[in-house]
Amino acid sequence: MPGLKDVMESVKESQVWKSVARNPLPSNARTRALAVLNNVFLHLHPVRAPQSGIRLKYTWCMGGLTFFVFLVEVITGILLMFYYRPTVEFAYADIIDLREQAPLGLMRELHRWGAHTMVITVWLHMMRVFMTGAYKPPREFNWVVGVVLLLLTLLLSFTGYLLPWDQLAMWAVTVGTNMARATPFVGYEGPGAALLKLGDINLVHSADDVRFALLAGRFVGEATLLRFYVLHCVAIPFVATILMAVHFWRIRKDGGISGPM
Amino acid sequence: MADTTKEGVSRRGFLSWLGLAWTAFSAAMAASGIALARFMFPNVLFEPPMSFKVGRPEEFALGVDERFKPQGVWIVKTTKEIFALSTVCTHLGCTPNWLSAEQKFKCPCHGSGYYVSGVNFEGPTPRPLERFAVFVADDGQVVVDKNRIFQYEKGQWTDPQSHILLS
Amino acid sequence: MIKIIINWLALPYMYVSIAIVLFFLTIRSRKLWTGKAGGLLLLGSILFLAYSLTDEHFRGLVTRPDNVPIVMLLFAVGFFVWFALKQAHENDERVMQGKPLDEVAWKDKVFVWPNLVYTELICMVVATIVLVVWSIYIPAPLEQPANPSSSPNPSKAPWYFLGLQEMLVYFDPWIAGVLLPGFIILGLMATPYIDKNPKGNGYYTFKERKFAITIYLFGFSIMWVLLIINGTFLRGPNWNFFGPYEPWDIHKLVPLNNVNLSEFIYVKFLGTGLPKHWFFREIFGIALVVGYFAVGHWYLAKKLLKRFHDLMGPVRFHLMAFLLLVMVATIAKMYLRWTMNLKYIIGISEFFFNI
């Protein structure tokens, strides 16, 4: 009778296992290095890092948590898209069905509380970076990328706010987008907009200003719902993913995890 | 230094061609950027009609008529005139509530308040509510035309189309 | 009785003043409260929360599903500010005693597998558990279907924008919604290029970066987080102020007859009535705003922060000074509204240009 150890041993010797794992389980310096180097996900990390930088006490793991919660949002978001239709007719009912009818009935909760969590962790990550002076040379540009990612996080959450199509959604977005109406020069109620005219015709009015482009209409309606849906599910995550790649790449290129220079 | 004139293209000529090419490239990029921005402005809107009939002038009681709030107007009748007030708060576009006990429009978002006339008197709003064009159609009904807006601070409330005078 | 006092302390100019004073006190006396006093502070805030939960109105407010993350945010920000300052203080002490920094003492390199990947795994597992439990116990809120013709009372922006929504009370939308957020983003992006202090790169310290840390924490904790708390818990129907234990009465009447600076001067002091042309009407306001920035820049550059001016050069310095002056002016305008009902310093509604 082969013991468990023998079974494990034969699995590890099999062609299938070897083709997937490429290296033996990490046990010494060489295999630990290989484990990180040869894995596409782990190779975000260097092989070795200063202990001061990877202690929880120092980083609070806030950047990592933000990325993890982003992944949670992507996964739950994809699952929600299977049941949700972004139309005035169906949106609200589909949200109710997500709790009442959809199996597990938990995806919207995970997605919403995850979104709140991501906003908080992103702020705390920024605070940690500031408090340790980790934006100082040579990491200036990565801090700028981080600020854009912070902004994108807020925009992701804001565009998602409209999708349940309830009163909270409608009015939060109405108030939020009405600020765009007051943008100087490009919003029709902003200072300077009245100056842009040809003869008697105003060039900037309620049907061609920056808010109109956001809402795809003069007020929050069907077209707005679709537009926010696309921004929320595709456009902003697309940009955020690219910037995240830049952000992570630059951590490595700008001297690895921050520590005393 | 290599003699470039031999090949028929001088150094200077090459640079000016290069400059032209880069200018053309930048112009093309800018143009496609503008085209992309234009794409975000729809040509056709699926919104409710901007102009509609609300009934005969004598059918309205004195005061604020809230029946047409879903279409975005309050019809206000005083002893002298009938006018159509926009239900969009001029602060940030919430819909104020008509408080008949206090005889004012009060916005729930940031507390702006307006008199029956639409003139603002409290809260953060910078200016009075807007009025829409109103006129009596051939069949005697009042027509509200939301395409034309009259603003108090521009002195437009004296415009004959901004109200219907009651004789 | 306690509730009445706390309700009174929660009046805007009271609690913002208290918060600002407390902020600078905690920065000054960080030695005290980064030690055991910090624990007492935490205990105190938990006791306060527990006591407050006996109040029906407060309980209703705090346990609203969408407000739960805000309570979490409050404790998280408190904890992490404490934690960061504690480590900063410890490092400052080490430097004073001639010992190496904590980060330097631990600078030896270790293998990422297993030292970091396991930490990350544990963090992920804990985060997953927290999210799942949270989701099971608190359903995501859903209100009535959207109805364009009736705004709920009060209508609030998403919680993380409540600080900006609060600004909307004091400023026109183009300032509160466009200019101020623009300055915040610009200021954050410019931070690494403005801050020329070579010290404090990559380790916790306070002493070596007093100015930068104080400004940042002030902006984050007072002007962002505190205003979110304010917007969530103290702003009720018709966007009126309510104390934490004061029930939200829709009919609470607060006179909001705000007066422009021009009316203060021409009508109240001079008694002449407003001039017809906007330029003469607003000349005092324009003079005040221009004067504030001119004198502010001069005073900061030549007197108060002369040291920085020499270190940073004029471009960096005046960019920083401008952002700083905007921050102070924002608070100043809020106080003017609370105490004098001042509406606009410059009010040219002819061009939608009001400050």
Side-chain angles (χ1 to χ4, degrees):
Chain A
M1 274 292 275
L4 189 63
K5 224 174 178 181
D6 300 320
V7 176
M8 291 287 283
E9 213 47 51
S10 65
V11 167
K12 271 192 252 171
E13 290 303 316
S14 73
Q15 189 188 357
V16 176
W17 176 270
K18 275 183 173 170
S19 73
V20 176
R22 284 189 67 97
N23 12 274
L25 283 176
S27 55
N28 55 30
R30 187 180 155 274
T31 47
R32 282 173 178 169
L34 284 175
V36 172
L37 276 177
N38 284 345
N39 186 300
V40 67
F41 304 108
L42 290 180
H43 95 287
L44 274 175
H45 297 308
V47 170
R48 288 170 356 121
Q51 206 166 4
S52 66
I54 63 177
R55 283 184 308 169
L56 210 49
K57 186 182 165 190
Y58 180 80
T59 61
W60 314 341
C61 202
M62 277 304 159
L65 272 181
T66 307
F67 181 50
F68 174 67
V69 179
F70 176 77
L71 295 179
V72 171
E73 293 300 283
V74 169
I75 293 165
T76 53
I78 290 172
L79 292 173
L80 287 172
M81 285 168 79
F82 284 119
Y83 284 96
Y84 172 83
R85 287 163 287 183
T87 60
V88 169
E89 192 184 353
F90 294 118
Y92 185 77
D94 285 350
I95 294 287
I96 293 180
D97 284 354
L98 272 168
R99 183 185 308 148
E100 305 292 333
Q101 309 298 338
L104 294 179
L106 210 62
M107 285 310 145
R108 178 161 170 258
E109 275 73 17
L110 280 173
H111 197 73
R112 190 181 185 103
W113 302 140
H116 289 332
T117 309
M118 188 169 159
V119 171
I120 296 176
T121 52
V122 122
W123 289 353
L124 291 175
H125 173 59
M126 184 173 75
M127 187 169 104
R128 194 284 292 176
V129 170
F130 193 96
M131 293 302 284
T132 54
Y135 58 82
K136 298 194 174 197
R139 301 192 179 84
E140 305 103 307
F141 181 69
N142 215 12
W143 165 272
V144 175
V145 174
V147 174
V148 178
L149 279 169
L150 167 77
L151 189 66
L152 289 177
T153 307
L154 295 181
L155 285 179
L156 269 172
S157 187
F158 182 67
T159 48
Y161 228 76
L162 185 66
L163 304 185
W165 203 246
D166 62 347
Q167 282 287 67
L168 189 71
M170 169 125 214
W171 291 100
V173 171
T174 302
V175 170
T177 52
N178 272 329
M179 291 183 210
R181 187 175 69 173
T183 316
F185 296 106
V186 290
Y188 80 102
E189 282 197 354
L195 302 174
L196 300 175
K197 57 163 122 186
L198 287 176
D200 266 353
I201 303 159
N202 280 324
L203 290 182
V204 181
H205 53 78
S206 67
D208 73 349
D209 70 341
V210 61
R211 173 165 163 272
F212 184 81
L214 264 177
L215 297 187
R218 275 171 287 225
F219 43 80
V220 178
E222 178 102 42
T224 316
L225 184 55
L226 181 62
R227 193 155 281 202
F228 272 49
Y229 178 73
V230 174
L231 283 173
H232 183 75
C233 301
V234 186
I236 304 179
F238 175 69
V239 178
T241 306
I242 293 174
L243 282 178
M244 262 185 260
V246 175
H247 200 58
F248 300 156
W249 176 255
R250 287 300 290 252
I251 296 174
R252 292 288 300 280
K253 294 294 133 184
D254 294 343
I257 198 156
S258 68
M261 298 300 279
Chain B
M1 206 190 269
D3 188 9
T4 47
T5 48
K6 240 190 233 165
E7 277 124 79
V9 182
S10 71
R11 187 182 189 81
R12 176 173 305 214
F14 175 71
L15 280 180
S16 66
W17 276 111
L18 193 70
L20 188 67
W22 273 112
T23 312
F25 178 72
S26 315
M29 291 304 283
S32 45
I34 292 169
L36 202 68
R38 177 62 185 86
F39 182 80
M40 298 310 284
F41 291 84
N43 287 332
V44 182
L45 296 181
F46 300 93
E47 293 181 347
M50 294 291 277
S51 170
F52 46 89
K53 292 181 177 174
V54 292
R56 308 171 73 80
E58 58 271 20
E59 287 169 5
F60 290 95
L62 283 181
V64 177
D65 189 321
E66 292 214 273
R67 282 180 297 159
F68 301 97
K69 205 175 167 186
Q71 280 104 305
V73 287
W74 284 298
I75 311 294
V76 182
K77 185 177 185 180
T78 66
T79 48
K80 288 192 205 119
E81 56 180 1
I82 290 181
F83 53 84
L85 272 183
S86 161
T87 62
V88 178
C89 178
T90 48
H91 182 232
L92 274 181
C94 290
T95 309
N97 298 309
W98 168 243
L99 307 178
S100 55
E102 289 152 43
Q103 287 290 303
K104 67 176 181 187
F105 299 101
K106 183 76 176 170
C107 183
C109 291
H110 303 91
S112 301
Y114 307 87
Y115 294 123
V116 186
S117 61
V119 174
N120 56 319
F121 68 97
E122 63 175 358
T125 185
R127 58 197 186 87
L129 292 174
E130 289 165 355
R131 291 186 186 182
F132 294 126
V134 279
F135 55 89
V136 180
D138 292 341
D139 60 354
Q141 293 216 57
V142 176
V143 177
V144 177
D145 182 7
K146 288 169 67 180
N147 285 311
R148 283 192 300 144
I149 293 163
F150 298 98
Q151 288 167 248
Y152 174 80
E153 69 279 9
K154 291 187 182 168
Q156 292 167 333
W157 281 8
T158 50
D159 191 292
Q161 290 263 305
S162 72
H163 52 174
I164 298 169
L165 287 175
L166 302 170
S167 48
Chain C
M1 184 61 200
I2 299 174
K3 288 182 180 178
I4 293 173
I5 293 175
I6 292 180
N7 275 341
W8 177 70
L9 289 177
L11 284 171
Y13 54 89
M14 288 297 295
Y15 87 86
V16 173
S17 311
I18 294 171
I20 292 174
V21 170
L22 271 183
F23 174 78
F24 285 105
L25 268 182
T26 45
I27 293 284
R28 271 209 85 82
S29 59
R30 60 196 177 280
K31 185 178 177 184
L32 179 75
W33 73 282
T34 48
K36 291 223 171 62
L40 285 177
L41 218 62
L42 180 68
L43 194 69
S45 57
I46 291 174
L47 281 178
F48 170 74
L49 188 69
Y51 167 73
S52 300
L53 282 175
T54 59
D55 184 87
E56 198 179 336
H57 170 71
F58 189 92
R59 189 170 59 231
L61 213 54
V62 170
T63 52
R64 274 178 59 164
D66 261 339
N67 290 350
V68 171
I70 302 167
V71 179
M72 279 174 32
L73 170 77
L74 191 58
F75 276 92
V77 168
F79 172 76
F80 282 112
V81 167
W82 172 80
F83 196 46
L85 282 180
K86 178 182 150 71
Q87 295 188 60
H89 183 66
E90 281 168 5
N91 264 343
D92 290 343
E93 295 278 290
R94 284 169 152 266
V95 171
M96 280 230 300
Q97 293 161 4
K99 283 197 262 177
L101 295 164
D102 188 45
E103 283 85 352
V104 173
W106 289 75
K107 71 187 265 198
D108 288 344
K109 286 198 168 185
V110 292
F111 278 103
V112 160
W113 183 301
N115 294 289
L116 179 57
V117 282
Y118 274 83
T119 313
E120 287 173 339
L121 181 68
I122 292 166
C123 279
M124 289 197 291
V125 170
V126 171
T128 311
I129 292 172
V130 169
L131 272 178
V132 170
V133 171
W134 186 1
S135 302
I136 288 173
Y137 281 98
I138 304 181
L142 188 66
E143 298 190 359
Q144 298 294 311
N147 176 3
S149 63
S150 110
S151 305
N153 193 359
S155 293
K156 292 190 177 180
W159 62 269
Y160 37 81
F161 286 146
L162 281 177
L164 292 176
Q165 198 182 4
E166 184 66 20
M167 289 296 104
L168 283 169
V169 178
Y170 313 103
F171 295 100
D172 268 13
W174 70 278
I175 296 184
V178 184
L179 225 53
L180 290 181
F183 284 153
I184 295 174
I185 294 163
L186 179 84
L188 283 174
M189 282 184 173
T191 301
Y193 304 98
I194 292 176
D195 185 357
K196 290 296 280 180
N197 181 359
K199 289 186 194 156
N201 187 343
Y203 54 92
Y204 288 99
T205 172
F206 181 80
K207 272 203 174 140
E208 296 171 8
R209 300 173 57 215
K210 277 181 192 161
F211 186 74
I213 288 183
T214 309
I215 297 289
Y216 176 82
L217 283 184
F218 183 83
F220 182 57
S221 61
I222 304 280
M223 303 213 39
W224 193 252
V225 175
L226 189 75
L227 288 181
I228 288 174
I229 304 298
N230 163 76
T232 316
F233 299 118
L234 302 179
R235 286 294 194 178
N238 298 329
W239 212 247
N240 284 325
F241 258 110
F242 290 85
Y245 310 119
E246 190 181 350
W248 283 8
D249 175 13
I250 296 189
H251 300 289
K252 177 175 180 176
L253 267 182
V254 181
L256 288 171
N257 292 315
N258 299 322
V259 182
N260 290 346
L261 183 69
S262 55
E263 288 159 342
F264 265 116
I265 291 176
Y266 283 108
V267 181
K268 276 204 174 158
F269 290 129
L270 301 176
T272 54
L274 293 176
K276 277 269 175 306
H277 193 270
W278 60 264
F279 183 74
F280 295 108
R281 190 184 66 215
E282 302 303 339
I283 189 148
F284 292 102
I286 295 170
L288 186 65
V289 172
V290 172
Y292 168 76
F293 280 101
V295 173
H297 275 278
W298 171 81
Y299 180 70
L300 288 178
K302 297 285 177 225
K303 304 275 170 187
L304 194 62
L305 301 176
K306 191 170 183 315
R307 202 162 45 88
F308 289 158
H309 183 264
D310 299 341
L311 182 79
M312 294 160 68
V315 176
R316 285 196 179 89
F317 183 83
H318 284 291
L319 179 60
M320 181 197 74
F322 176 72
L323 293 168
L324 206 61
L325 287 171
V326 169
M327 199 153 130
V328 173
T330 310
I331 299 177
K333 171 109 198 254
M334 290 161 71
Y335 270 97
L336 286 174
R337 174 66 63 82
W338 293 329
T339 51
M340 296 168 61
N341 280 329
L342 180 86
K343 187 168 189 186
Y344 294 129
I345 294 172
I346 303 175
I348 313 172
S349 37
E350 286 90 338
F351 302 133
F352 298 127
F353 188 89
N354 305 307
I355 293 176

